[in-house]
């Protein structure tokens, strides 16, 4: 596996916990997006980016500056995989929308996106994170479906590992 980092934005700790779980399974560092630097981006070939979703499908607050940092870096040739947290019951019309925000912000940067996930097995009404019938990354609901989180993480990691 090439040099990899897990970058997350978390307000309540849920996305941080998931990021640390993913990083632990890969044996890499997890870093809060609030402290992300251009040097962090330059030093890593693979960027696993995670955000919780707030309001009407919006990014976690620290991600607005994080996206600016990523857009200002050279992402050509980098591999990006996305993961995020949402609430499929209370916010079923914007479930994991932050994933869609990150994807839209970075899709034209020259990076390669991996880790799309089928919407099969998910219950939600709409999501900007769904492109061409699939989530642009790993969508998790640690509130209503916490019993599925670890299994979904493990399955996702198995699909992306060969591309890292």
């Amino acid at each position: 596996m090439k040099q990899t980092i897990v970058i997350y934005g978390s307000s309540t700790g849920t996305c941080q916990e998931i990021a640390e779980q993913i990083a632990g399974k890969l044996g890499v560092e997890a870093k809060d997006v609030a402290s992300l630097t251009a040097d962090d981006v330059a030093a890593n070939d693979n960027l696993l980016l995670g955000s919780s979703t707030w309001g009407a499908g919006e990014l976690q607050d620290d991600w607005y500056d994080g996206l600016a940092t990523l857009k200002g870096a050279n992402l050509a040739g980098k591999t990006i995989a996305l993961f995020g947290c949402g609430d499929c019951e209370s916010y079923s019309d914007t479930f994991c929308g932050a994933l869609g925000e990150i994807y839209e912000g970075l899709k034209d940067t020259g990076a390669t996106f991996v880790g799309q996930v089928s919407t099969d097995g998910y219950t939600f009404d709409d999501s900007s994170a769904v492109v061409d019938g699939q989530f642009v990354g790993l969508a998790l609901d640690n509130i209503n479906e916490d019993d599925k989180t670890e299994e979904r993480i493990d399955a996702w990691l198995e699909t992306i590992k060969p591309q890292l």
Side-chain angles (χ1 to χ4, degrees):
M1 184 171 70
K2 296 178 183 171
Q3 194 65 30
T4 302
I5 189 169
V6 177
I7 302 164
Y8 65 89
S10 187
S11 295
T12 64
T14 301
C15 195
Q16 177 179 355
E17 179 182 310
I18 289 168
E20 289 171 351
Q21 187 177 0
I22 290 168
K25 289 176 182 278
L26 292 175
V28 301
E29 175 188 9
K31 184 170 186 121
D32 190 329
V33 71
S35 60
L36 180 67
T37 66
D39 288 341
D40 294 324
V41 178
N44 288 279
D45 300 301
N46 302 315
L47 309 171
L48 280 62
L49 310 176
S51 179
S52 50
T53 299
W54 292 92
E58 296 152 11
L59 288 169
Q60 187 271 344
D61 288 342
D62 297 326
W63 264 108
Y64 293 99
D65 288 339
L67 267 181
T69 299
L70 288 165
K71 286 179 182 179
N74 180 7
L75 298 181
K78 304 238 184 236
T79 299
I80 294 177
L82 304 174
F83 66 94
C85 308
D87 180 338
C88 69
E89 290 184 14
S90 299
Y91 298 96
S92 68
D93 58 337
T94 59
F95 180 58
C96 287
L99 290 174
E101 294 285 321
I102 295 172
Y103 176 76
E104 285 299 317
L106 300 178
K107 70 179 182 179
D108 296 324
T109 60
T112 300
F113 284 83
V114 300
Q116 294 78 9
V117 173
S118 170
T119 59
D120 294 346
Y122 287 88
T123 304
F124 67 101
D125 292 320
D126 196 19
S127 177
S128 62
V130 175
V131 174
D132 296 329
Q134 292 190 310
F135 286 111
V136 294
L138 176 62
L140 298 168
D141 182 344
N142 224 34
I143 297 166
N144 304 296
E145 299 181 339
D146 61 323
D147 58 319
K148 298 178 182 178
T149 298
E150 185 157 4
E151 179 182 330
R152 285 176 171 167
I153 290 171
D154 289 344
W156 182 67
L157 287 175
E158 285 307 308
T159 65
I160 68 170
K161 278 181 185 177
Q163 300 165 76
L164 301 179

